[in-house]
Amino acid sequence: MDAVILQVLNGLDKGGAYALIALGLTLVFGTLGVVNFAHGALFMIGAFCAVTFRKILTLEQVVLSETELSPWGTPLEIRTPFAQQWFGDFGNVLIDYSVPLSILLAIPVMLLIGIVMERGLIKHFYKRPHAEQILVTFGLAIVLQEIVKAFFGANPNPQPIPQVFLGAADLGAMVGMAEHVITYPKWRLVYLFFSLGVVAAVFAFLRFTTFGMVVRAGMSDRETVSMLGINIDKRFTIMFGIAAIVAGVAGVMYTPILPPDYTLGMDFLVLTFIVVVVGGMGSLPGAVLAGFTLGVVQSLASMTQVKDIIPGIDQIIIYLVAVVILLVRPRGLLGKRGVMEN
Amino acid sequence: MFSMPKKDAITFALFAIVVLSMPIWLSPFGASYPGLLQKFAIYALLAVGYNILFGLTGYLSFGHAAFLGVGSYAAVWSFKLLSMNPILAIAFAMVFSGIFALAIGYVSLRRSGIYFSILTLAFAQMSYKLAYSVLSPITHGENGLQLTLQDPRVIDLMFMERGVSLPTSSLFGIPMNGYEGFYFCAVILLIGFFIAQKITSSPFGMMLKGIKSNEDRMNYTGFNTKPYMLTAFVISGIYAGIAGGLLSVTDPLAGAERMQWTASGELVLMTILGGVGTLIGPVIGAWIIKYFENIFSAWNESILHNVFAFLPDNVEGIVVLISSKFVGEGWHLTLGLMFVLVVVFLPGGIMEGVRRIASWFSRRKDPTKDQEVTDPENMPKPSSKKGE
């Protein structure tokens, strides 16, 4: 039982990442009708925003010490980050919190990348068949991936967790169970709440703002909305930017869990596509639900008890679920009737 | 059965000449070594087969790498258990990839459009993951399946002694790893190309094209399209299986990474780059990508310095710095850019480009010849500008 709870928790934070990427993917599909294979690359670029931010923060001034010598006889190099020099202790705090702080960098960068991508390339593909959309965004994903590789190399770039969130939280003890039974890394807990928060923010934005209302109206009937004199294209472009931000911040916060390298996007892409399809193309709640569900299902399947019964199930469970859903209920868990149902 | 329209016969003859003379005309490009030539022939076969599905019916499969992998494994197992004869290995690859394609196709074809793509992708990923983990007794997981000295090789050992070194595949004594191997692959490519030509011009091929242009209408006119689709899927799966088998014939080592979805993605790139729905296009696409992969990726800065040596020194430095990002390790960047440009500007691939140039030339012979031809503004432009 404890093991099951632990695995569910494990699945939830992975599911959080799936849900956030799938949410963005669905936003793009629901508004623009474009199948965006480059969305995984946006997740990856977000992760590298965190890497860049930390690199900038930890730029160091190197001073050769005049008195001390290093073990091999040369003058000792004293390295102090500029941030520490300028801001003192506050600078150290900045460096410590580099990962969450890089969200501040990621938001404008991702918005810009998203809008440039939409206006520059994807705009031309609204009316083309889905196959061509897949192909052009697939090509774009390769390009983005290779650009990142050219700058950051092919090795993973591990990012540290802020001191406060190091270690594990004893969740079991908190709810009155025995101690040290259900412990869970604090950062993963942060990630889970973060992803829930972002999901809530996106839904609130669509539900409670005028902008969101117009976008929802445009999603259900684009032509009528534009006939009412609203520039729906512009709003959809901004929604693409928002989808990029969601993917980007999801990537930023995921860096301490999985050191990002340039293939990160492709690794997540296939899985999130399956999440979107399972949730139902074009359904936002479906994407979130399917994201968390598949995350949990995946980690439950990797329990040894399950693997003993069906060997190898943990490797393929997500694909298996996708196949079954597609065959039995092609519009997905929460998909609308008639939206890409055949 | 072997009679064909004159135009097709000429195409086939030209194609045969081009393929068989590859060792000669590729040598100025530095690509005339057996390993690469074999890849040219094998991947061309793969692309031709993929085009039977994607080009004729418009169903975008992201799972063909699985058939390639199954073909490879089947061929290596045939080497291990029975004989080093490549024909036997190819037969094995055909049978197994065919069965595999039948099973996957039967399920996947219940949906169309993007759902079909996702289903094939899911099946291919499942095969890949399983090949890495649970099926390791069959696939030898990360190490890859390779020949060992203790292999049974039942048929071979009836006729000869067990050697002291690892055997190589040989067709009745002809080793399959040099130019002979290339010609073996080339002959199979030509057979495959011939069959693809036949399929394209047959009533069956017309039916597939009908499915591409409007599947609903085909259904309304009383055709049950599913068996046709399934046949096309299995045929193209078998092509992929043969290609996988040939990969094992020329180099008896099969690894699971051949089944990864990016391998399927590369196959789609080849087909699109060359021109979907044409016979020659996918072949050209496959050659270009394999050429880039092997030649371009080997370039480095010193080669670039030689290439741009005619430039002034400081300009040369900048040019080399920029272009070095596009070759060597970064050749994928070139590939991605090329691919995006092709999909945006030339949805029909290189073959459409060729057609446009051809029509450009044929219009030059128009009666309005007295116009100044050097003036680009007055030139009649091809009007088929898509994607606007």
Side-chain angles (χ1 to χ4, degrees), chain A residues 144-159:
Chain A
L144 291 175
Q145 183 175 316
E146 290 302 315
I147 291 174
V148 167
K149 185 178 157 195
F151 280 101
F152 294 93
N155 293 327
N157 296 272
Q159 298 295 307

Side-chain angles (χ1 to χ4, degrees), chain A residues 35 121 128 135 139-140 142-143 146 149 266 270 273 277 281 311-312 315-316 319-320 326-327 330 340 342, chain B residues 107 111-112 114-115 118-119 125-126 129-130 133-134 261 268 272 329 332-333 336-337 339-340 343-344 387:
Chain A
V35 180
L121 185 68
R128 299 253 205 121
L135 295 169
L140 184 66
I142 297 178
V143 171
E146 290 302 315
K149 185 178 157 195
M266 287 289 181
V270 175
F273 248 92
V277 171
M281 295 288 281
Q315 301 283 330
I316 61 166
Y319 304 106
L320 213 56
L326 277 180
L327 294 177
M340 294 197 62
N342 53 347
Chain B
V107 179
R111 299 276 167 258
S112 58
I114 186 170
Y115 292 125
I118 300 252
L119 276 172
Q125 282 294 92
M126 275 198 251
K129 297 273 185 183
L130 287 181
S133 56
V134 183
W261 77 278
V268 180
I272 301 280
E329 292 275 287
H332 270 111
L333 180 60
L337 277 177
F339 186 64
V340 170
V343 180
V344 173

Side-chain angles (χ1 to χ4, degrees), chain B residues 50-268:
Chain B
Y50 187 68
N51 188 52
I52 292 176
L53 181 71
F54 182 40
L56 292 184
T57 70
Y59 275 58
L60 175 63
S61 157
F62 256 105
H64 263 54
F67 308 133
L68 189 79
V70 168
S72 304
Y73 284 128
V76 176
W77 272 113
S78 136
F79 289 148
K80 281 170 89 76
L81 296 180
L82 298 172
S83 157
M84 294 304 291
N85 190 327
I87 291 179
L88 199 63
I90 298 297
F92 255 81
M94 283 175 76
V95 170
F96 279 95
S97 58
I99 296 170
F100 208 62
L102 188 68
I104 290 183
Y106 181 77
V107 179
S108 304
L109 284 167
R110 299 163 75 104
R111 299 276 167 258
S112 58
I114 186 170
Y115 292 125
F116 171 79
S117 308
I118 300 252
L119 276 172
T120 49
L121 178 62
F123 279 118
Q125 282 294 92
M126 275 198 251
S127 328
Y128 164 66
K129 297 273 185 183
L130 287 181
Y132 252 124
S133 56
V134 183
L135 296 181
S136 304
I138 304 175
T139 62
H140 290 214
E142 285 182 33
N143 297 329
L145 186 63
Q146 35 194 316
L147 303 176
T148 59
L149 283 172
Q150 289 80 37
D151 289 333
R153 278 201 305 286
V154 184
I155 298 178
D156 274 4
L157 292 181
M158 279 193 284
F159 300 107
M160 58 183 97
E161 292 284 298
R162 190 183 282 278
V164 284
S165 60
L166 280 180
T168 52
S169 53
S170 60
L171 180 66
F172 307 118
I174 309 168
M176 281 293 131
N177 45 13
Y179 283 103
E180 296 87 351
F182 161 69
Y183 279 107
F184 181 71
C185 299
V187 168
I188 290 184
L189 167 64
L190 289 180
I191 298 171
F193 188 80
F194 178 77
I195 295 173
Q197 258 185 332
K198 278 299 198 191
I199 289 176
T200 313
S201 58
S202 69
F204 172 68
M206 292 304 291
M207 210 78 82
L208 297 181
K209 286 179 203 158
I211 293 174
K212 181 178 188 177
S213 53
N214 195 333
E215 186 168 0
D216 289 336
R217 194 175 292 167
M218 290 293 284
N219 279 322
Y220 295 152
T221 47
F223 285 109
N224 184 4
T225 52
K226 285 288 174 271
Y228 291 100
M229 284 302 309
L230 189 57
T231 315
F233 191 88
V234 172
I235 291 175
S236 95
I238 291 179
Y239 267 80
I242 299 174
L246 285 175
L247 281 177
S248 297
V249 166
T250 52
D251 179 17
L253 168 73
E257 70 284 345
R258 270 181 204 163
M259 302 172 103
Q260 209 181 0
W261 77 278
T262 42
S264 306
E266 195 188 56
L267 175 57
V268 180

Side-chain angles (χ1 to χ4, degrees), chain A residues 110-268:
Chain A
M110 296 313 294
L111 186 67
L112 190 72
I113 291 178
I115 288 177
V116 167
M117 220 166 111
E118 203 275 334
R119 285 289 93 181
L121 185 68
I122 293 179
K123 183 177 80 173
H124 306 287
F125 281 81
Y126 292 162
K127 297 278 180 271
R128 299 253 205 121
H130 285 307
E132 282 186 16
Q133 295 170 355
I134 292 178
L135 295 169
V136 80
T137 46
F138 183 54
L140 184 66
I142 297 178
V143 171
L144 291 175
Q145 183 175 316
E146 290 302 315
I147 291 174
V148 167
K149 185 178 157 195
F151 280 101
F152 294 93
N155 293 327
N157 296 272
Q159 298 295 307
I161 300 173
Q163 291 286 329
V164 190
F165 301 115
L166 276 178
D170 201 340
L171 289 183
M174 285 181 202
V175 293
M177 292 163 71
E179 279 183 23
H180 303 299
V181 179
I182 300 174
T183 55
Y184 194 61
K186 283 184 193 160
W187 182 258
R188 286 175 180 248
L189 215 56
V190 170
Y191 194 85
L192 177 58
F193 283 113
F194 171 77
S195 55
L196 287 175
V198 173
V199 168
V202 170
F203 275 90
F205 178 71
L206 287 174
R207 189 83 188 80
F208 299 119
T209 62
T210 320
F211 187 96
M213 187 186 71
V214 173
V215 168
R216 277 186 297 134
M219 279 166 88
S220 60
D221 192 343
R222 181 187 186 132
E223 284 195 359
T224 312
V225 174
S226 56
M227 265 188 261
L228 289 171
I230 294 169
N231 188 351
I232 193 72
D233 281 359
K234 196 172 145 197
R235 287 183 165 72
F236 279 179
T237 307
I238 294 173
M239 283 317 288
F240 193 97
I242 290 176
I245 291 176
V246 171
V249 294
V252 167
M253 296 293 275
Y254 210 67
T255 46
I257 300 177
L258 186 70
D261 63 0
Y262 72 108
T263 57
L264 181 68
M266 287 289 181
D267 297 344
F268 268 83

Side-chain angles (χ1 to χ4, degrees), chain A residues 16-26 39-40 43 243 246-247 250 268-269 272 276:
Chain A
Y18 293 162
L20 287 184
I21 309 176
L23 185 68
L25 209 54
T26 309
H39 208 74
F43 179 77
V246 171
F268 268 83
L269 176 72
T272 41
V276 169

